[in-house]
């Protein structure tokens, strides 16, 4: 097994394991007109919370920005091929103890064969 | 804080403008299916959506040329409302993004002006003028356009809750 294979396997088994730093979240894929609707599904993700950001596009409104790490996988995470940056969303609690809220995936920050890192707002 | 008393004139104008924009969420236009119109809170948690509208305002500025002497004097103020339209179509949508931007901006103007003496916002203001539209910088998240509206209103110098004509 090469290092590359090990890293790809660890992306699912270790880096996004709920036994370590990850948690279960819900992926809401956007369905574009004419396409087959894609169902929501539960996936594992590492969510970095409460990084407040000023949204200069909206008159300096302050809203929380989240960084979400998922496996680049169509079953256990989100594959880079299926991702739609025009409306795909992920549901997770904005703070520990609060109910899950749906947050739009606004940017793909990092991508490699093993992991995807998004910005969600 | 929940306020049951009559609100200041500027807030009543903002609420009238907000109500008109919300017509877009009730299928006012077949071209612009707006999912929601938002006035942000201090620490908000709304999430960007395609064709979403965010209404913000700048601080009111005194307009001395339109202020009038009296007892009490009336003070005219200009308040700039920013109607920020978010465009975030699917990656697989072949439609040029400017088509969505142009259409939504036009529908915003149309719905706000779709009232008798629209510029008075129900006799609360003395004038309203559309300003130059500004593109929202695309940083990879969402595109859009800001449609600014400058509203001029008068109140008693001593009571911003009282409208003066």
């Amino acid at each position: 097994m090469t290092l590359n294979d090990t890293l790809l396997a660890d992306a699912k088994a270790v880096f996004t394991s709920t036994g370590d730093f990850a948690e279960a979240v819900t992926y809401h894929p956007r369905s574009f007109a004419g396409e087959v609707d894609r169902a929501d599904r539960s996936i594992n993700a590492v969510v970095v919370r409460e990084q407040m950001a000023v949204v200069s596009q909206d008159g300096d409104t302050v809203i929380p920005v989240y960084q979400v790490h998922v496996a680049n996988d169509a079953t256990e995470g989100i594959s880079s091929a299926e991702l739609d940056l025009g409306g795909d969303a992920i549901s997770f609690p904005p703070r520990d103890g609060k109910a899950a809220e749906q947050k739009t995936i606004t940017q793909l920050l990092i991508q490699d064969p093993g992991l995807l890192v998004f910005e969600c707002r | 804080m929940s306020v049951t008393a009559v609100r200041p004139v500027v807030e009543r104008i903002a609420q009238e403008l907000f109500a008109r924009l919300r017509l877009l969420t009730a299928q006012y236009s077949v071209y612009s299916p707006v999912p929601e119109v938002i006035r942000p809170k201090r620490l908000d948690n709304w999430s960007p959506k395609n064709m979403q509208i965010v209404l913000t305002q700048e601080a009111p500025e005194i307009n001395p040329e339109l202020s009038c002497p009296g007892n009490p004097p009336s003070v005219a103020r200009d308040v700039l409302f920013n109607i920020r339209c978010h465009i975030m179509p699917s990656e697989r949508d072949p439609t040029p993004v400017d088509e969505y931007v142009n259409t939504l901006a036009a529908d915003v103007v149309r719905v706000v002006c779709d009232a008798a003496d629209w510029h008075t916002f129900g006799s609360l203001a003395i004038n309203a003028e559309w300003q130059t539209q500004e593109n929202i910088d695309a940083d990879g998240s969402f595109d859009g356009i800001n449609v600014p509206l400058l509203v001029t209103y008068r109140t008693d110098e001593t009571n911003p809750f009282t409208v003066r004509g």
Side-chain angles (χ1 to χ4, degrees), chain A residues 35 58 84-85 103-104 121, chain B residues 45 47-48 86 90-92:
Chain A
E35 288 185 341
D58 286 332
D84 188 341
L85 290 174
K103 300 296 179 187
T104 303
R121 296 190 207 166
Chain B
N45 62 353
S47 200
H86 296 166
S90 169
E91 280 184 42
R92 297 184 260 288

Side-chain angles (χ1 to χ4, degrees), chain B residues 41-75:
Chain B
K41 301 192 289 289
R42 182 181 73 88
L43 289 177
D44 220 324
N45 62 353
W46 55 265
S47 200
K49 296 185 179 71
N50 188 36
M51 298 212 181
Q52 176 190 61
I53 294 175
V54 177
L55 176 63
T56 63
Q57 67 181 79
E58 306 284 337
E61 294 182 7
I62 289 178
N63 185 331
E65 291 165 352
L66 294 177
S67 299
C68 300
N71 188 18
S74 74
V75 176

Side-chain angles (χ1 to χ4, degrees), chain A:
Chain A
M1 200 175 193
T2 65
L3 176 61
N4 183 62
D5 293 336
T6 303
L7 288 173
L8 290 179
D10 284 350
K12 288 180 274 188
V14 177
F15 302 142
T16 56
S17 165
T18 55
D20 295 312
F21 301 109
E23 60 192 269
V25 302
T26 304
Y27 170 49
H28 305 279
R30 176 186 182 147
S31 297
F32 179 58
E35 288 185 341
V36 175
D37 282 350
R38 296 183 290 155
D40 298 348
R41 65 175 186 266
S42 179
I43 61 174
N44 294 340
V46 176
V47 181
V48 182
R49 291 177 166 79
E50 290 290 347
Q51 300 175 67
M52 303 306 289
V54 175
V55 182
S56 59
Q57 300 99 322
D58 286 332
D60 296 338
T61 305
V62 178
I63 62 170
V65 177
Y66 305 88
Q67 208 177 80
V68 179
H69 302 230
V70 302
N72 186 349
D73 183 270
T75 305
E76 298 182 45
I78 303 172
S79 77
S80 53
E82 72 175 322
L83 175 66
D84 188 341
L85 290 174
D88 280 4
I90 300 176
S91 287
F92 51 85
R95 290 184 198 165
D96 286 338
K98 295 187 84 171
E101 295 176 8
Q102 192 164 307
K103 300 296 179 187
T104 303
I105 298 173
T106 49
Q107 290 194 57
L108 178 58
L109 300 174
I110 297 172
Q111 57 171 316
D112 61 43
L115 280 175
L116 301 179
V117 180
F118 308 121
E119 175 193 89
C120 290
R121 296 190 207 166

Side-chain angles (χ1 to χ4, degrees), chain B residues 4-158:
Chain B
T4 55
V6 173
R7 289 169 170 76
V9 173
V10 65
E11 174 59 21
R12 289 160 68 189
I13 293 171
Q15 292 189 356
E16 172 65 22
L17 176 57
F18 183 66
R20 293 185 192 179
L21 290 171
R22 288 200 67 202
L23 292 173
L24 289 170
T25 67
Q27 298 165 343
Y28 175 90
S29 168
V30 296
Y31 306 112
S32 304
V34 171
E36 59 184 8
V37 181
I38 294 167
R39 288 184 75 190
K41 301 192 289 289
R42 182 181 73 88
L43 289 177
D44 220 324
N45 62 353
W46 55 265
S47 200
K49 296 185 179 71
N50 188 36
M51 298 212 181
Q52 176 190 61
I53 294 175
V54 177
L55 176 63
T56 63
Q57 67 181 79
E58 306 284 337
E61 294 182 7
I62 289 178
N63 185 331
E65 291 165 352
L66 294 177
S67 299
C68 300
N71 188 18
S74 74
V75 176
R77 290 183 174 84
D78 298 325
V79 59
L80 183 68
F81 289 99
N82 292 306
I83 303 169
R84 301 176 186 272
C85 309
H86 296 166
I87 301 295
M88 206 164 109
S90 169
E91 280 184 42
R92 297 184 260 288
D93 190 337
T95 308
V97 69
D98 283 340
E99 181 173 332
Y100 288 122
V101 170
N102 291 337
T103 304
L104 183 54
D107 272 329
V108 163
V109 172
R110 187 162 63 122
V111 76
V112 171
C113 295
D114 191 6
D117 292 331
W118 73 272
H119 59 286
T120 67
F121 291 90
S123 301
L124 296 171
I126 58 175
N127 197 20
E129 291 180 30
W130 293 103
Q131 306 297 297
T132 303
Q133 296 176 2
E134 306 148 347
N135 283 337
I136 290 174
D137 290 333
D139 63 353
S141 55
F142 55 87
D143 284 338
I145 194 160
N146 177 32
V147 186
L149 179 65
L150 186 69
V151 179
T152 304
Y153 64 98
R154 282 200 198 102
T155 68
D156 279 350
E157 180 188 60
T158 55

